[in-house]
Structures are given as C-alpha cells and as structure tokens.
Amino acid sequence: MRSTPHSSRRVRSSATIIALAALVAAGVQAGTAGAAPAADHVDASGAHLAPLAPLSTAQRSALITAAQGSSTATARSLGLGAQERLVVKDVVKDADGTVHTRYDRTYAGLPVLGGDLVVHAKGKRQTVTKASSARSIAVPSTTPKVPAATAQKSALSAASDAKTAKPAANGARKVIWAVTGKPVLAWESIVSGVQKDGTPSQLHVITDATTGKKLYSFDGIETGTGTGQYNGQVTIGTTRSGSSYQLLDNTRGGHRTTDLNQGTSGTGTLFTNSSDTWGDGTQSNRQTAGVDAHYGAQETWDFYKQTFGRSGIRNDGVASSSRVHYGDNYVNAFWDDSCFCMTYGDGQGNNNPLTALDVAGHEMSHGVTSATAGLEYAGESGGLNEATSDIMGTGVEFFANNPKTPANYLIGEQININGDGKPLRYMDQPSKDGTSLDYWSADAGNVDVHYSSGIANHFFYLLSEGSGAKTINGFSYDSPTYDGSTLTGIGRDKALAIWYKALTTYFTSTTNYSAARQATLQAAGDLYGTNGSEYQAVAATWTAVNVN
C-alpha cells in the first residue's frame, strides 16, 4: 500500500513479466481491444443492460469445463502450433450472450510467459486479445544448455542486488519466454527472503536457458457489531461456536480474521470472544484491528457482489482470509495469492494499523486483478495494476458509505503512513504527493508502479467527476488536464463499470497505457454504445492525461 516496495499479490508464474502489450488479431475474425463492439447492449426501450450476465458458481464452473473441453479446437482456430495447449483461467458472459474466455498457454507442457489471451465469442463471431505479439510458439529444443543450478545462482545474485535479506533459492522451472521478440526456452527461478521494509519477498528471475542471459526479474509480493479504530461501530459477520463467537463470516464464503501476534508466518489464531461484541476502538485492544480488517473484507465482498455480480475475489464463492498484527513496527499491508490472504502490519510504533477501509479494498483488489487480467507488476502494466487497486478501493469506500470513514478520492488518508498526516496518494492531481505522474510520458514504464499509477488514477477521477475545482462529500479537489480541456464527468458508477469491464474482459498481463485506452473504449462501447457520451468521454479523458 505504501509508496515503497509495497502491498502484495503473489504473481502467477504463468503471467507475463513486462508491460509491452500487443493486442493481436487472430481467429475466425480478427479484432483488437480497440475494435467496435458487435452490438450495443440495449433493450427494446433503449435502456442499457447490465455489463455482465449474472452467473452462479455452478454455471461459471460449467462454462469453464465446456471451454476446456473445446480448447483444442479453439487453439486450432487461433492458428496455434501443434505443441501449444490452452488452459482456461476464467469465463465471463455479457448480457447480450457474448462469452469472454481467458486462457493461459503451454508449449510442450511448459508454461508460456506472455501466452495469455482472451477469446471473445458471440455465435460464429470470434475475436481475440493477446498478451504477446507471437502468433504461435516454436523453440528449437526444450532441452536447456544452461543448467538449473546456474540459473539459481543468477537468481541469488539478483536477490543480493535487490538487498533481499535471508535469501533462499526455491528451485527453478523451465518456461517459454514469449513476452518480447522471438520466444525462447528459459528458467524461472524463485528466491524467497525479506524486503528492506520487512515485507516478504518472492523474487522471480527469468534466465535464457540457452545463453544464460538474465531476461527479467520481479518480486511476486506487491507492496496494497465491533468497534474499529478507523471504521467505528459496525455490524460484522461472525459465527457462534459453542459458548463463544468467532470472526468467521459464513455468509461471505467463510472469511476468517486471525491474529498473527507479531509473527511473520503461519495462519495466525482465529479471533474468538465470549460475546458477539468486538474491540473498543483502541489499538491496545487486539480485537480492534481485527474488526477493521474483518469489516474491510466484508465491504469489499459486498461491493464486488452488489456492483458487478462477482462472488468473491476469484468469483467462485470462496472467501479469502485476513491476518492482523503482522511483524513489529511493520508499516505496510499486502495481498498474497499463495495463502489467498490479506495481511496487515500495525504501523510505526505499532500504533497505526494498516487496516483502513480503502487499504483493505485496495489490497484485495490485487487478488481480483490476479484472478482476471493478471496485470504484471512491472512497467506500465504494473502502474495499471496498482491503479486498479486504488480505483476499486475508492469504489469500496464510496459503497460502504460509512460516516466514520468519509468516502473520497484520496488514498490511505487515515493511516498516516508518511508520518505527516497527509494522504498517500491523490487521484485528482497525483503529483501533489511530490512524485506521482499526472500524465503519460515515454518514460512512464521506467517509473515505480506506485507513481506511474497516477496516470490511471487521474483518468478515473476525471472520468468520474470532471476537471477543475469542486467539493465532493466535503473534500476539495482541483483537477487539471494535459491539453487544457474542460471535462464533465460521467459519474463514478459508470467509470467503475467501464474499468471493471475492461479489466475482466480486455486487459491482459502485458496491457500498457495505450492498450488500456483501447480496452476501456471497447468496454464503454459494449456498455453504453459507441455513439454514446460515455464513449466520447473515455476518449477525451485519456487525451486529457496524454494517452493517445
């Protein structure tokens, strides 16, 4: 969550590793994320339909099973090679019947980094969005010339360069690197350890298996009734067990909140209490942080469910878990796919837990991104990943409508992470934090993802509320534009719908800002029509942050 190595999602090893999106046409009919939609989603009265057709867990599972069963035929229709296979990751369905199937790819049984793609099908019409420009995969041999031990040595060296404490090599696996240029056989090595701020580290290093050249590296851990410290007295989902109560919410997939008791590993101890009244609003009561974390998970679940029809982070009805009181003086929070859990530190002096509502929504949204587009946490795609969590975390805050936590377009304003009482980030003018980018430039991909995220955060604010000075919900904003244009917002609900639609159906692991423009235009066209004011507003707003 903080603006240094940060909050976390464990990167899927099959995800691509760099932000160089190429939306490539293939299949029965070529198309890209910028193509006009097959049909506007309107009913006979002219009213626009919901973006997605609600699917039960069983219906989604059936679609995934059917898609996997026909994956060989799909691969042939896309012109993939004989040794390539498609593995279904997710399926979503639009209200007009369009089915979007997201696949990972393998070659000769090896994961293809950069192989993910989304097939969009309606009737006999099929288009595809790819993460890589490679139409098909072919390498001379799957036998490496460089041994795994050499690759692991290189990975340990990279961990040393990154100042990772307690590094330990956790093996290497063969993969196909297809993110840029000609696909090559490679090793993916993982080194565990501890980042400088105490966050766990899972450093992935990609090494050419023929030449031994390091191709890329990234860290898989991304650094965003009870009475809580931030949220006040709230109603939370609990479970009675015998004569006691547990912070276990069986109405939302079985979400559990546990106490790590300043530890840095394990699942922690489930919070229990003799009565169903939890915490007292003070940090000295260990339940207080648990209440805020449990409430944050609850509101995030309800936001996704009621706003988008999404049942949990993976859309499978299964809850994540939350762990509080991590480490000693740990000033961060992170999401980790490997435990499917949220983890919160207690802040400087163990006095400011990172359990604020927008932080909870931010961090768990990393899990949603991982389960959908898998935006790689590096370069421009990393900025979009981080911005997605800010955007959805803001959505959670407005959805909750808690007067104790007034909704706003500021990020982390309650946790005082910098020690000066100021927010961590500003969506209306990101550069007010002294580092974040208001507008895109050719160097955006070289900027830390917490700061390049400002481009998309600024886009979202402008699309929602428009430019210029205004007061919203008691907070003052003054948002500029790159081209000096004056913008009128389309409203936060529509802006959220467009971003979520783009994330779940058109973004891939390598989507960059240019591709995000095309994907959100496609999403706006799907939802509101290509002749609608919303579509025109998306185009004008990207121009206003210098993405053309």
Side-chain angles (χ1 to χ4, degrees):
M1 182 64 197
R2 67 187 302 184
S3 295
T4 54
H6 144 88
S7 50
S8 89
R9 149 182 87 79
R10 181 177 180 269
V11 173
R12 294 177 179 267
S13 295
S14 58
T16 51
I17 314 304
I18 195 168
L20 296 173
L23 305 180
V24 181
V28 176
Q29 179 172 339
T32 72
D40 294 339
H41 294 187
V42 292
D43 63 18
S45 69
H48 291 284
L49 302 178
L52 300 174
L55 294 174
S56 68
T57 299
Q59 289 172 327
R60 176 176 173 271
S61 179
L63 283 173
I64 289 174
T65 299
Q68 192 60 61
S70 60
S71 62
T72 300
T74 301
R76 284 199 302 265
S77 76
L78 296 176
L80 304 188
Q83 296 194 71
E84 296 183 76
R85 299 289 184 270
L86 293 174
V87 180
V88 180
K89 180 179 178 182
D90 194 19
V91 178
V92 295
K93 187 176 182 180
D94 288 351
D96 71 348
T98 302
V99 176
H100 308 271
T101 306
R102 188 177 293 276
Y103 296 92
D104 287 329
R105 197 179 344 177
T106 65
Y107 172 84
L110 302 178
V112 179
L113 306 189
D116 57 300
L117 55 88
V118 187
V119 173
H120 319 283
K122 182 181 181 183
K124 295 182 178 180
R125 185 176 187 270
Q126 176 177 291
T127 61
V128 65
T129 302
K130 283 186 173 182
S132 170
S133 60
R135 179 177 175 84
S136 62
I137 304 298
V139 297
S141 172
T142 56
T143 301
K145 294 183 179 180
V146 174
T150 300
Q152 291 181 71
K153 185 177 179 180
S154 173
L156 284 167
S157 177
S160 177
D161 291 343
K163 306 264 191 290
T164 301
K166 302 178 182 178
N170 295 324
R173 68 167 186 165
K174 287 192 294 183
V175 298
I176 303 297
W177 172 262
V179 175
T180 57
K182 186 177 180 180
V184 299
L185 181 69
W187 288 106
E188 179 187 32
S189 305
I190 301 176
V191 177
S192 62
V194 181
Q195 297 179 34
K196 288 183 290 186
D197 70 344
T199 303
S201 176
Q202 295 170 1
L203 187 67
H204 295 235
V205 180
I206 312 301
T207 306
D208 190 311
T210 301
T211 67
K213 178 183 177 182
K214 176 184 168 183
L215 299 173
Y216 201 75
S217 66
F218 66 96
D219 203 304
I221 297 292
E222 303 164 6
T223 1
T225 54
T227 302
Q229 182 169 342
Y230 301 115
N231 299 304
Q233 188 170 350
V234 292
T235 300
I236 52 177
T238 61
T239 298
R240 183 167 184 170
S241 177
S243 60
S244 65
Y245 294 85
Q246 303 172 330
L247 282 189
L248 170 63
D249 189 350
N250 285 317
T251 66
R252 296 176 178 85
H255 181 272
R256 301 162 57 89
T257 299
T258 64
D259 185 353
L260 279 173
N261 196 31
Q262 270 51 68
T264 57
S265 63
T267 58
T269 302
L270 180 66
F271 279 100
T272 60
N273 203 31
S274 59
S275 70
D276 205 14
T277 301
W278 305 80
D280 61 7
T282 68
Q283 172 60 8
S284 60
N285 185 318
R286 298 190 70 80
Q287 292 180 2
T288 295
V291 169
D292 279 333
H294 204 68
Y295 174 74
Q298 169 182 298
E299 293 304 301
T300 300
W301 176 287
D302 289 354
F303 164 73
Y304 277 104
K305 182 69 173 178
Q306 296 181 35
T307 307
F308 306 119
R310 187 176 189 85
S311 183
I313 286 171
R314 291 188 302 235
N315 200 24
D316 59 0
V318 178
S320 59
S321 60
S322 296
R323 307 183 302 177
V324 298
H325 301 306
Y326 174 92
D328 186 33
N329 294 304
Y330 178 64
V331 191
N332 220 329
F334 59 91
W335 168 266
D336 188 344
D337 269 353
S338 65
C339 63
F340 201 56
C341 68
M342 259 305 305
T343 304
Y344 301 89
D346 284 334
Q348 192 64 43
N350 292 325
N351 291 320
N352 290 291
L354 276 288
T355 51
L357 183 58
D358 60 352
V359 176
H362 172 108
E363 301 301 344
M364 282 180 276
S365 291
H366 277 306
V368 174
T369 296
S370 178
T372 55
L375 286 162
E376 180 47 51
Y377 206 68
E380 291 189 24
S381 63
L384 288 164
N385 185 321
E386 185 66 16
T388 295
S389 283
D390 282 350
I391 289 166
M392 294 303 168
T394 296
V396 170
E397 200 172 71
F398 275 97
F399 170 84
N401 194 27
N402 184 336
K404 182 73 174 178
T405 308
N408 53 65
Y409 291 95
L410 309 173
I411 306 300
E413 69 279 4
Q414 291 183 304
I415 57 178
N416 194 27
I417 200 167
N418 294 321
D420 56 6
K422 295 180 180 178
L424 183 60
R425 289 188 284 276
Y426 304 78
M427 300 184 87
D428 66 317
Q429 188 177 354
S431 62
K432 284 195 289 188
D433 67 10
T435 313
S436 291
L437 304 182
D438 290 334
Y439 314 114
W440 183 87
S441 71
D443 192 48
N446 299 320
V447 175
D448 183 283
V449 297
H450 301 90
Y451 306 133
S452 64
S453 64
I455 303 163
N457 281 344
H458 195 191
F459 164 82
F460 176 74
Y461 174 86
L462 286 168
L463 185 63
S464 299
E465 306 292 351
S467 59
K470 60 195 66 182
T471 300
I472 303 167
N473 205 23
F475 292 85
S476 297
Y477 307 98
D478 192 357
S479 194
T481 58
Y482 180 83
D483 57 352
S485 60
T486 299
L487 300 178
T488 300
I490 63 173
R492 185 178 53 260
D493 290 346
K494 287 183 177 180
L496 282 167
I498 290 168
W499 195 268
Y500 180 80
K501 172 71 172 171
L503 174 75
T504 55
T505 58
Y506 298 119
F507 284 4
T508 69
S509 61
T510 61
T511 296
N512 61 10
Y513 273 107
S514 176
R517 176 188 172 104
Q518 297 306 312
T520 50
L521 282 169
Q522 176 81 56
D526 287 352
L527 297 174
Y528 307 110
T530 55
N531 294 320
S533 59
E534 297 86 355
Y535 186 93
Q536 302 304 319
V538 170
T541 304
W542 278 121
T543 299
V545 295
N546 199 34
V547 177
N548 297 294

